[in-house]
Amino acid sequence: MSDPTSAPAFTPRVFSGIQPSGGLTLGNYLGAMVKFVDMQDRGDFETVYCMVDLHAITAKLIEPATLAHNTRELCAGFIAAGIDPEKSILINQSQVPEHAQLGWIFNCVARMGWMDRMTQWKDKAGKDAERASLGLYAYPALMAADILVYHATHVPVGEDQMQHLELTRDIAAKFNHDYGVDFFPLTETVVEGAATRVMSLKDGTKKMSKSDPVDASRINLTDDADTIAKKFRKAKTDPEPLPGSLDGLSARPDVRNLVNIFAALEGTTPEAVLASREGGMLGHFKVELADLAVAKLAPISTEMARLMDDPAEIDRILARGAERAREITVPILQRTYEIVGLVGHAP
Ligand code: AQP
């Protein structure tokens, strides 16, 4: 990662979000949240973390009470994982209207050809794209607005979001070029660690996802110890023992996934995990992995449950976060409108 002070025109600022489209998974935790906490605690950045509720309604209709529950539970998950609402700005996207307002401007900057190339659009719309929502298609332009309405310089994400971050830079560059300004930063993607892409426990070639219809394919942060142990025990693997190095896993994606998860939970590397376990049987490794996962995740799920006992306090945290966020987003949106030539928005 580059030195955050190397872009003096912009305050070093981190933005990232998670959709409240279901419960939090181990993929969200290892691919995103662990880094969110790390970047908050380093003190090099202002940090803004978001429940992207407007994105959550793009794929399918979510029952309104479920969406509200998911949003509060996600907020509880952020805090339980170590996000401090005093140190970081913690918001739900819809309470900061400048996200959607800048999203409209970016709908007019982004090109159809760019959107057509987005693999997440192709995956989620599938073969029946005509029945997919316009919101799902425009999702990456709103995501660019989520980031750029803060002039965020760094975005920690899992690997699956890299293409959307490239698009964010394309939108910023085209806006700056079209209007002859140097207004939006070219945001840096931060993809780091042993578990930048946590895979399904049932198919090591497919991403672990909160909306996968098969619950056994993922670890939910709200799963109890028995469920976690059972899911790892039943994770798809093969009868071969563990090799001593990563070369031996190149054709074994399911096992590679478990090794990556172990390394990320332990804070080591996949190489180190294998080095001390060469020849070990997978049955034993799965028990070790389940014990480690329970030790790491149980305090988070207990704290989430405690926070969810007081939803009014969660709502207060989000309202306060939105107030703080708008101190940043209102002037950036006003200036954008001014640059574009929309009348009546001078600061
Ligand atoms: N399996 C994963 N491995 C590593 N990182 C992951 N992330 C998600 N799944 C994994 C990272 O978590 C952040 C928030 O993602 P999101 O929930 O907003 O969207 P998503 O990537 O589409 O996640 P899901 O679970 O697959 O959601 P649904 O099923 O609703 O589409 C991002 O930084 C993402 O990289």
Side-chain angles (χ1 to χ4, degrees):
M1 197 197 319
S2 70
D3 174 1
T5 57
S6 68
F10 297 102
T11 304
R13 185 175 290 141
V14 166
F15 174 91
S16 200
I18 297 184
Q19 297 182 68
S21 46
L24 275 166
T25 70
L26 185 63
N28 295 133
Y29 176 67
L30 294 176
M33 279 183 147
V34 169
K35 277 172 280 177
F36 295 179
V37 175
D38 177 54
M39 294 184 93
Q40 166 193 269
D41 292 345
R42 278 165 47 178
D44 298 336
F45 303 95
E46 286 181 18
T47 44
V48 184
Y49 296 122
C50 186
M51 283 115 258
V52 283
D53 46 10
L54 296 173
H55 287 287
I57 58 174
T58 54
K60 59 172 194 222
L61 183 76
I62 303 184
E63 211 265 310
T66 305
L67 179 59
H69 171 86
N70 288 350
T71 304
R72 294 191 178 103
E73 191 179 71
L74 181 51
C75 182
F78 270 111
I79 297 170
I83 300 300
D84 176 347
E86 295 300 319
K87 285 192 199 164
S88 292
I89 296 177
L90 197 53
I91 49 163
N92 60 313
Q93 183 188 25
S94 60
Q95 269 201 85
V96 182
E98 292 74 29
H99 288 236
Q101 289 174 289
L102 185 61
W104 180 257
I105 300 289
F106 288 171
N107 282 346
C108 303
V109 173
R111 305 289 95 182
M112 299 279 280
W114 301 357
M115 311 308 270
D116 285 339
R117 282 194 288 277
M118 294 295 112
T119 47
Q120 197 170 88
W121 155 252
K122 289 188 221 165
D123 289 349
K124 288 195 174 172
K127 293 198 178 75
D128 204 6
E130 290 209 357
R131 294 181 65 83
S133 76
L134 187 55
L136 186 65
Y137 189 68
Y139 178 121
L142 178 57
M143 179 168 160
D146 297 333
I147 295 162
L148 294 172
V149 80
Y150 295 90
H151 277 181
T153 54
H154 294 76
V155 179
V157 280
E159 240 177 67
D160 60 313
Q161 293 297 331
M162 286 175 77
Q163 194 188 31
H164 288 164
L165 266 297
E166 271 168 41
L167 184 99
T168 299
R169 282 189 289 278
D170 288 343
I171 289 176
K174 180 163 165 52
F175 182 97
N176 289 345
H177 177 266
D178 286 353
Y179 292 100
V181 291
D182 190 13
F183 185 60
F184 287 114
L186 302 185
T187 307
E188 193 173 321
T189 313
V190 182
V191 177
E192 283 173 353
T196 55
R197 193 169 174 82
V198 178
M199 310 310 271
S200 160
L201 299 182
K202 292 292 172 195
D203 178 353
T205 62
K206 201 173 130 195
K207 193 185 81 156
M208 181 182 286
S209 191
K210 60 173 104 69
S211 58
D212 190 317
V214 181
D215 187 63
S217 68
R218 62 178 166 267
I219 303 291
N220 303 301
L221 257 51
T222 48
D223 284 342
D224 61 28
D226 286 348
T227 309
I228 293 176
K230 189 167 158 208
K231 285 181 176 175
F232 278 126
R233 201 168 56 242
K234 298 203 159 185
K236 184 175 166 230
T237 44
D238 55 50
E240 300 300 315
L242 286 169
S245 75
L246 284 179
D247 296 344
L249 291 182
S250 52
R252 299 170 69 190
D254 300 296
V255 181
R256 173 72 208 244
N257 184 37
L258 297 187
V259 170
N260 284 353
I261 293 174
F262 196 102
L265 284 168
E266 206 182 35
T268 54
T269 61
E271 290 83 353
V273 172
L274 289 178
S276 56
R277 289 180 182 79
E278 183 166 11
M281 295 315 291
L282 275 159
H284 178 69
F285 181 64
K286 285 175 171 181
V287 173
E288 257 195 288
L289 175 56
D291 288 348
L292 177 62
V294 169
K296 291 278 176 189
L297 301 183
I300 298 176
S301 62
T302 306
E303 180 62 1
M304 277 172 79
R306 191 189 69 76
L307 292 162
M308 284 300 280
D309 278 344
D310 189 358
E313 176 58 14
I314 291 182
D315 290 359
R316 274 191 292 277
I317 289 170
L318 291 176
R320 171 76 190 120
E323 256 175 54
R324 290 172 63 200
R326 298 195 72 201
E327 287 168 19
I328 302 171
T329 59
V330 168
I332 289 177
L333 184 76
Q334 276 177 340
R335 179 71 190 123
T336 309
Y337 277 2
E338 242 196 330
I339 291 169
V340 171
L342 302 173
V343 171
H345 301 283

